[in-house]
Amino acid sequence: MEWPMTERTLSIGVDVGGSHIGCAAVDMFRGELIPGSESRLDLDSFADAGTVFTTWTRAIKSTLERIDRDRLAGIGFAMPGPFDYRNGISKMEHKYPRLFGRDIAGELRRRVHVEGDTRLRFLNDATSFAVGEAWLGKGMGCQKVLAITLGTGLGSAFIDDGIPVVDGENVPAEGCLWHLPFRYGVADQFFTTRWFVKAYADRSGGKVTGAREIAGMADAGDPVALAIFERFGSNLAGFLAPWLKKFQADVFVMGGNITR
């Protein structure tokens, strides 16, 4: 069946990171990216509000210019927290501190010139990743998906039949794992870039900026780097196994910069 070309079947997905913004348009009926609609710009999350909004606007408009705006149903933002996702209000202080308390939805609607009947929706970035993987990615066709993102923080989401599960006896509150106890601290201390940097310093006395450098050393056979990744994998398996069993996940998906 062909969907009428006059219907609003297009959505723009916006990935807001700490150092970039990425956009692309999706045909929701066909489940396909619109070729050539991608745009990406780098920026400093500590820049002033005007600079951030201007950069975000440029990226979104770049994608808008490559699609039929009459077919646009809405724009979805994968946004790091803390954030008032229902109302589009930033609560972040560690990223984009100059936007704290600002009405992001209203500001962008005005700057991008999006009509009131075009929806703007905000969702946690890890949850957005999980929903996408369950719909068209590695979790496609699976009932229950547990997805995590590994980077500057530990993100997570539990998906059942395409819907995020945020409460119940089989998932942690809000689907969040980062704050749960693990060893002598909480999970976020062990499954982020900070852990790799500290582990390398403790074992070698040297300094690195992140996991990528240690991964390169491991590929070259460096015993310290290999031991660090072995420990990371062992820790992660031990932490996640109870939740994978409790949720009865059909598939486990990892994302985030560390997975590269």
Side-chain angles (χ1 to χ4, degrees):
M1 182 182 73
E2 284 293 321
W3 194 271
M5 293 299 288
T6 56
E7 296 291 339
R8 294 192 173 196
T9 63
L10 302 185
S11 174
I12 291 179
V14 181
D15 172 34
V16 176
S19 59
H20 76 278
I21 177 172
C23 310
V26 178
D27 186 320
M28 297 180 291
F29 179 68
R30 292 185 172 87
E32 298 174 349
L33 282 173
I34 303 300
S37 68
E38 300 91 342
S39 64
R40 179 187 172 99
L41 292 173
D42 295 330
L43 79 163
D44 179 5
S45 70
F46 290 92
D48 62 272
T51 299
V52 172
F53 280 126
T54 297
T55 305
W56 287 359
T57 300
R58 283 175 52 208
I60 296 169
K61 280 187 172 181
S62 178
T63 293
L64 275 171
E65 290 168 357
R66 305 175 202 181
I67 66 171
D68 180 356
R69 289 190 64 150
D70 291 336
R71 295 180 59 204
L72 181 65
I75 304 176
F77 295 82
M79 188 74 71
F83 197 90
D84 181 346
Y85 294 100
R86 180 179 296 276
N87 297 305
I89 308 295
S90 177
K91 300 296 182 182
M92 292 180 283
E93 295 183 88
H94 66 301
K95 295 179 182 178
Y96 299 105
R98 307 288 184 84
L99 302 186
F100 184 84
R102 297 287 292 265
D103 178 3
I104 307 300
E107 186 72 28
L108 287 177
R109 188 179 290 278
R110 179 181 65 81
R111 287 171 174 260
V112 180
H113 307 298
V114 175
E115 295 76 13
D117 59 347
T118 301
R119 295 186 62 193
L120 267 60
R121 185 180 181 189
F122 298 84
L123 196 63
N124 175 266
D125 50 1
T127 305
S128 299
F129 166 72
V131 169
E133 288 292 335
W135 180 33
L136 294 173
K138 300 298 184 181
M140 186 169 58
C142 298
Q143 175 77 21
K144 292 187 174 184
V145 179
L146 170 54
I148 65 170
T149 54
L150 301 168
T152 55
L154 171 64
S156 61
F158 294 73
I159 307 296
D160 190 348
D161 196 22
I163 305 298
V165 182
V166 296
D167 56 33
E169 61 182 18
N170 295 326
V171 301
E174 302 299 323
C176 294
L177 295 168
W178 68 270
H179 66 293
L180 298 183
F182 182 72
R183 295 187 61 190
Y184 52 81
V186 297
D188 207 59
Q189 296 173 244
F190 292 86
F191 308 116
T192 58
T193 300
R194 297 188 307 278
W195 181 86
F196 278 96
V197 172
K198 183 178 185 302
Y200 187 78
D202 289 345
R203 288 173 179 258
S204 71
K207 293 183 178 180
V208 293
T209 58
R212 183 188 298 271
E213 293 176 60
I214 304 173
M217 298 175 196
D219 288 340
D222 182 89
V224 172
L226 287 168
I228 288 172
F229 271 96
E230 288 283 350
R231 172 53 62 187
F232 182 83
S234 177
N235 284 341
L236 189 62
F239 174 70
L240 288 175
W243 290 107
L244 288 164
K245 294 176 181 177
K246 202 170 187 179
F247 187 58
Q248 296 184 319
D250 298 307
V251 64
F252 168 54
V253 186
M254 290 189 293
N257 285 332
I258 289 177
T259 64
R260 296 180 183 177

